[in-house]
Amino acid sequence: MEKIDFTMIIRQIEKQDNKILAEIIRQCFRDFNAPTAGTVYEDPTTDNLFALFQKEKSILWVAELDGKVVGCCGIFPKEDLSSDCVELVKFYVESEARGKGIGKMLMEQNIQSAKTLGYKKIYIESLPEFDKAVSLYIKTGFKELDHPLGKSSHTGCSVWMEREI
């Protein structure tokens, strides 16, 4: 079997990433036929993630595959969560880059960032249509909740999970 090599980099968001990341995020909804109402798809901050992640104790990691931006994942403190809990947000990988371990690497980077920033728990909101991502959450120690934590700005989400770190 032929070995396929690729170069993968995980780095912090840069201003020029805004447009491509918004496209990747919205394409993921189309790829999985996920409902868009009340989700990040319609959230105006999706078009300016660089500005959003200037907030203290937040970070957005961007994955590049062979020099091309292919995904992102970050942590973001919500005012209505306890101070030791951060939300995992904007976790999307474009179709050609899926299945290469990029999602797992982004997840591990964010768990480490949450620890470094002093958080004790990570919270996630998702959709059943993103079952592969939900499966990754479970594999990395997230437990399902029967209700959202705090006031969700994404009312279309119906999967809520939390993990201690």
Side-chain angles (χ1 to χ4, degrees), residues 62-113:
V62 173
E64 283 187 17
L65 185 61
D66 293 329
K68 178 185 174 199
V69 172
V70 295
C72 60
C73 184
I75 53 170
F76 195 84
K78 285 176 48 178
E79 281 77 24
D80 58 348
L81 292 178
S82 64
S83 62
D84 68 344
C85 185
V86 69
E87 186 173 8
L88 187 89
V89 295
K90 318 298 188 225
F91 189 19
Y92 298 95
V93 176
E94 74 168 22
S95 61
E96 297 100 44
R98 293 181 198 135
K100 299 182 186 315
I102 293 169
K104 183 179 181 202
M105 287 186 252
L106 282 167
M107 175 67 76
E108 290 169 357
Q109 182 68 54
N110 278 280
I111 291 169
Q112 186 55 51
S113 293

Side-chain angles (χ1 to χ4, degrees), residues 25-165:
I25 289 168
R26 292 186 174 112
Q27 185 60 48
C28 286
F29 277 80
R30 292 187 289 272
D31 290 350
F32 292 95
N33 296 316
T36 59
T39 70
V40 67
Y41 189 98
E42 294 182 341
D43 189 331
T45 65
T46 299
D47 294 303
N48 194 359
L49 295 174
F50 179 79
L52 181 67
F53 283 89
Q54 298 309 301
K55 182 177 175 105
E56 189 177 343
K57 292 186 78 174
S58 75
I59 193 163
L60 185 70
W61 294 102
V62 173
E64 283 187 17
L65 185 61
D66 293 329
K68 178 185 174 199
V69 172
V70 295
C72 60
C73 184
I75 53 170
F76 195 84
K78 285 176 48 178
E79 281 77 24
D80 58 348
L81 292 178
S82 64
S83 62
D84 68 344
C85 185
V86 69
E87 186 173 8
L88 187 89
V89 295
K90 318 298 188 225
F91 189 19
Y92 298 95
V93 176
E94 74 168 22
S95 61
E96 297 100 44
R98 293 181 198 135
K100 299 182 186 315
I102 293 169
K104 183 179 181 202
M105 287 186 252
L106 282 167
M107 175 67 76
E108 290 169 357
Q109 182 68 54
N110 278 280
I111 291 169
Q112 186 55 51
S113 293
K115 283 181 190 176
T116 301
L117 291 170
Y119 294 108
K120 304 289 183 220
K121 295 183 276 186
I122 302 175
Y123 170 68
I124 299 171
E125 295 179 339
S126 192
L127 298 164
E129 289 80 2
F130 297 136
D131 57 333
K132 286 190 171 46
V134 171
S135 174
L136 176 61
Y137 303 150
I138 292 167
K139 285 179 190 168
T140 54
F142 284 86
K143 307 285 184 227
E144 290 193 57
L145 303 171
D146 60 4
H147 62 281
L149 298 180
K151 295 177 191 163
S152 176
S153 58
H154 297 137
T155 56
C157 293
S158 59
V159 175
W160 311 283
M161 303 179 91
E162 187 178 46
R163 178 198 166 162
E164 297 207 12
I165 51 174

